[in-house]
Amino acid sequence: MSGFTELGIEGGLIEKLTALGITEPTAVQKQTIPQIMTGKNVIFQSATGSGKTFAFFLPLLQKIQAQENPTKAVQLVVVSPTFELASQLKQAAASVTDLKCGLFIGGVPLKRQIDALKEKPSIVIGTVSRLLELCRLKKLKIDKAAAVVLDEADRLVSKEIADETSEFIGLFGAQTQIVACSATITKKTQNFLENSKASKDQDVGATLGFETILLPLEDVLREKIEHWAFFAERRDKIDFVRSFLRAFEPKKALVFTSRADQVENICQKLKFKKIDCAALTTKIKNQERQSILAHFKNGKCPVLITSDLSSRGLDIPDIDCVIQCDLPPDEDFFVHRAGRTARAGKNGVNVVVGDEWELRKLAALEKKLKIVVHPKMLFKGKVCAPAQAERD
């Protein structure tokens, strides 16, 4: 018997999970699925790679598929902050249900997506900007939806898109269940959601009630990821990354920079040094983005350079190491960057390349996150500890 059966997951979903080789729920799924099944509004936090996606999909799909008189209206809406995560969410949904599912993201002709809505999808997945645009055009009606999921909720309530997220939540009906999740749920995110003026709460000043589930953040960050720190002046960082890639020889490496305008520059300089790599930026069209990600996932392109745009929600298997070319201004970005490796129970390496000021800041972050950062250096084409280099 599948461990999911005890959580209330039955029938076709169990068969689909078994076909995927999934028979036992993860820790977050054990805690979250029963709460979502009751119809409560739920906010939950769980480490990257811990199974958050199925933690919300399984109970919500179970409830929708169990309806005796299914409606043709949209039943489930899943909102993502990025194109890539939205696409992955659609793939995850398609792997466990035969319900019609539509993907609605920017970079795709609006007319094509309006036509897709005419096919009456039960599940709608997309970026908040495009979904809101379709609602404003009265092409997408979500007021009768059974549930809405805010994936990577902390990113959805960031100042850049908080207004859109708030307006979008307000379009749902009184019966709509709200589920929000992320690897880091801050007090700001909780307050934002609890004070959202969704139509289910008409009283001025009223707040929405949420069941909050916070699983420990540090398990993967401390136990599965080895953290390395290398010193490099700003002007020398790209050359260092090239040398590190030659020494470490990762099968898959994800390189981050806080400056979006530097992504292409880093990529071009690495290519000039004969490093096989690709750049993921906001300027390229969606079809090309998907092609780049596909090549990285299947190992045809071993190195991907990007900004923090793609540090959220990318579920790419078997990334050996993450290389942070700078220390991000927000510790949540540090956690999300590092969490792109060591997924699905595997180990990984998180490399921080910093100047003197950044390494001092990293030392403070090391204490706050309760991780251990190992100083490293490159010596004779190999990665080693400074003490080892002195002996050699």
Side-chain angles (χ1 to χ4, degrees), residues 3-295:
F4 288 97
T5 304
E6 297 176 2
L7 301 178
I9 306 302
E10 303 172 348
L13 285 172
I14 294 294
E15 293 175 8
K16 297 277 189 180
L17 288 170
T18 303
L20 294 172
I22 301 172
T23 57
E24 293 300 322
T26 64
V28 67
Q29 290 161 2
K30 288 178 181 178
Q31 291 198 38
T32 305
I33 288 175
Q35 297 296 331
I36 295 176
M37 290 282 278
T38 66
K40 295 178 181 177
N41 295 328
V42 175
I43 302 174
F44 68 95
Q45 168 187 283
S46 181
T48 55
S50 59
K52 289 189 294 294
T53 300
F54 282 159
F56 62 74
F57 262 136
L58 294 176
L60 294 175
L61 290 173
Q62 179 68 48
K63 292 171 66 177
I64 293 170
Q65 293 179 176
Q67 292 176 345
E68 293 184 4
N69 299 304
T71 174
K72 291 186 178 180
V74 173
Q75 288 295 292
L76 174 60
V77 179
V78 185
V79 191
S80 156
T82 66
F83 302 160
E84 293 82 10
L85 177 56
S87 298
Q88 291 172 23
L89 289 168
K90 183 177 184 294
Q91 293 171 10
S95 70
V96 291
T97 184
D98 295 325
L99 291 173
K100 191 170 293 183
C101 182
L103 178 65
F104 303 90
I105 56 178
V108 176
L110 190 60
K111 184 180 183 303
R112 185 190 306 171
Q113 297 193 335
I114 291 173
D115 289 341
L117 286 171
K118 294 177 181 177
E119 298 178 7
K120 305 293 184 184
S122 297
I123 305 167
V124 164
I125 299 171
T127 51
V128 66
S129 297
R130 177 50 60 92
L131 293 174
L132 186 56
E133 183 179 12
L134 290 166
C135 288
R136 287 169 176 168
L137 292 171
K138 301 189 185 304
K139 301 299 181 182
L140 172 62
K141 296 180 180 180
I142 56 175
D143 58 303
K144 292 182 172 58
V148 57
V149 177
L150 307 178
D151 200 1
E152 299 297 342
D154 52 338
R155 180 71 180 274
L156 288 168
V157 306
S158 64
K159 61 182 180 180
E160 295 84 3
I161 55 175
D163 289 344
E164 290 183 322
T165 301
S166 182
E167 180 182 348
F168 190 67
I169 293 175
L171 298 177
F172 288 91
Q175 79 293 336
T176 304
Q177 178 182 10
I178 301 175
V179 177
C181 66
S182 182
T184 51
I185 293 291
T186 64
K187 197 66 180 176
K188 172 189 170 184
T189 302
Q190 289 178 270
N191 290 338
F192 180 97
L193 293 170
E194 289 169 357
N195 291 287
S196 294
K197 294 300 185 288
S199 58
K200 60 168 65 180
D201 246 316
Q202 298 294 341
D203 296 334
V204 175
T207 58
L208 299 176
F210 279 86
E211 185 75 22
T212 302
I213 302 170
L214 303 177
L215 273 73
L217 280 177
E218 65 272 10
D219 290 347
V220 173
L221 200 65
R222 291 188 345 200
E223 297 176 11
K224 295 293 185 180
I225 300 175
E226 189 169 348
H227 302 274
W228 294 352
F230 291 85
F231 172 80
E233 296 288 359
R234 186 175 298 274
R235 63 179 177 273
D236 300 324
K237 287 188 176 185
I238 299 177
D239 279 340
F240 171 84
V241 171
R242 173 192 60 80
S243 299
F244 175 81
L245 290 169
R246 295 286 191 208
F248 191 69
E249 297 183 335
K251 292 181 180 178
K252 287 182 190 174
L254 194 55
V255 181
F256 283 105
T257 174
S258 296
R259 294 181 54 186
D261 60 349
Q262 283 297 302
V263 173
E264 192 61 47
N265 178 47
I266 295 170
C267 184
Q268 291 303 322
K269 288 186 176 180
L270 290 180
K271 282 184 175 180
F272 183 75
K273 297 292 186 177
K274 310 300 182 185
I275 298 291
D276 187 5
C277 60
L280 192 67
T281 72
T282 56
K283 296 180 180 179
I284 57 180
K285 294 182 179 179
N286 187 54
Q287 187 172 358
E288 185 180 354
R289 292 162 69 87
Q290 296 304 318
S291 176
I292 289 171
L293 283 172
H295 279 78

Side-chain angles (χ1 to χ4, degrees), residues 105 200 210 212 296 322 326 337 362:
I105 56 178
K200 60 168 65 180
F210 279 86
T212 302
F296 183 56
V322 167
D326 48 33
R337 284 179 175 187
L362 177 62

